Amino acid sequence: MCVAKPILIAVLAIVSIPAAHAQSLPGGFVYLRDIDPTIIQDIRYATSNNFTGHPLSGYGAGECVVKREVGLRLRAIQQELSGQNLSLKMFDCYRPVRASLDMVAWAQNGREPTAERRYNPKIAKTELFRLGYIASRSQHSTGAALDLTLVDLKADNSARYDPAKAYGDCTAPVEARAPEGSVDMGTGYDCTDARGHTAAPSITADQRAWRKRLVAAMARQGFVNYSKEWWHFSLPGAGGAAYDFPIQPRRN
């Protein structure tokens, strides 16, 4: 979700990109796939497999878009991990402002079906703003924030999410949770629960070791983790204005 840390530069740059010029990204943005195509991408807000149950506004393609400096640092991390049979897996990168406003509307719609409760089993969604899990202004919109995890390339990652299946909530054992094709970090992605806090004491030693491994790999390239979300990282100084251009398909 959104980290609730406020953006110091709150300028909103509204940019419209016609489909015919989808590659023309503003403000030093790039498609991560153009920097390193080996980094796995599962951009969840471009699908219905997320806490809102629908693709978010502005996600016209499941592509990770970032500031160039961010992409180059991710490539360096990926190169380090590849020697360990590991890979980064991106869940979210640049996020249009309109998508954050879509989250706001979702939180205020007065409905909490069972599928949504998988992500916030103990917290009413109207409380997610106050508790720092969602913000109407997100660092993601600057291109300097990321949601990601690690993939063990030697493991069987073939299980796929089935929207017709009733999965356990995001704090359940990994066998009962919706599959994410990644290592077991102790909770699923976007889990608004104390177990999702990076230093949560209630996870296993192996799960804690994976989290520390991810944090350490990201820190070596200057990324800082958000303590309430083991999956959320930002690169200080790489952001700036918040943007609202839609994510369009990348042309080959």
Side-chain angles (χ1 to χ4, degrees):
M1 295 185 186
C2 295
V3 60
K5 186 176 180 180
I7 301 172
L8 295 180
I9 302 177
V11 178
L12 199 60
I14 307 297
V15 181
S16 177
I17 302 181
H21 302 286
Q23 293 292 96
S24 302
L25 299 175
F29 285 89
V30 296
Y31 286 91
L32 180 61
R33 214 177 296 276
D34 289 334
I35 300 290
D36 190 335
T38 73
I39 297 176
I40 300 169
Q41 298 189 28
D42 180 12
I43 308 302
R44 297 278 287 277
Y45 298 143
T47 75
S48 60
N49 182 19
N50 64 65
F51 66 93
T52 72
H54 65 267
L56 293 184
S57 179
Y59 283 81
E63 290 286 349
C64 175
V65 173
V66 291
K67 285 294 183 70
R68 178 174 294 277
E69 179 185 1
V70 172
L72 292 174
R73 292 180 186 236
L74 289 173
R75 182 174 67 184
I77 295 168
Q78 182 76 348
Q79 289 171 346
E80 175 189 343
L81 293 173
S82 65
Q84 306 166 42
N85 288 307
L86 297 173
S87 173
L88 294 175
K89 182 174 189 175
M90 314 305 299
F91 287 131
D92 194 33
C93 303
Y94 158 73
R95 179 185 306 162
V97 169
R98 69 190 74 180
S100 293
L101 298 179
D102 197 348
M103 291 180 180
V104 173
W106 165 83
Q108 298 172 348
N109 68 15
R111 302 188 299 274
E112 292 198 68
T114 301
E116 292 181 2
R117 295 296 294 178
R118 286 197 292 110
Y119 294 88
N120 49 309
K122 299 176 183 177
I123 304 171
K125 66 183 186 181
T126 53
E127 290 289 290
L128 297 178
F129 291 91
R130 183 180 66 82
L131 295 175
Y133 291 107
I134 303 181
S136 56
R137 290 177 178 172
S138 170
Q139 286 183 311
H140 281 277
S141 299
T142 73
L146 309 159
D147 293 344
L148 72 165
T149 189
L150 291 174
V151 174
D152 181 353
L153 297 175
K154 303 188 304 297
D156 179 3
N157 299 306
S158 61
R160 295 290 180 265
Y161 171 74
D162 180 355
K165 186 173 180 179
Y167 294 105
D169 71 53
C170 60
T171 67
V174 67
E175 300 83 8
R177 300 196 306 259
E180 293 186 336
S182 60
V183 302
D184 179 12
M185 291 288 189
T187 74
Y189 167 55
D190 261 352
C191 188
T192 53
D193 185 88
R195 288 173 63 93
H197 296 184
T198 309
S202 54
I203 59 176
T204 69
D206 284 345
Q207 293 163 347
R208 186 171 298 107
W210 279 120
R211 292 187 186 189
K212 288 181 176 179
R213 196 165 181 176
L214 175 61
V215 170
M218 297 295 288
R220 282 192 285 274
Q221 286 295 323
F223 290 95
V224 177
N225 174 247
Y226 177 50
S227 63
K228 286 191 174 182
E229 299 176 345
W230 59 257
W231 54 86
H232 181 98
F233 294 83
S234 58
L235 184 62
Y243 285 78
D244 191 40
F245 64 87
I247 301 170
Q248 303 280 16
R250 168 184 166 273
R251 292 201 306 269
N252 293 325

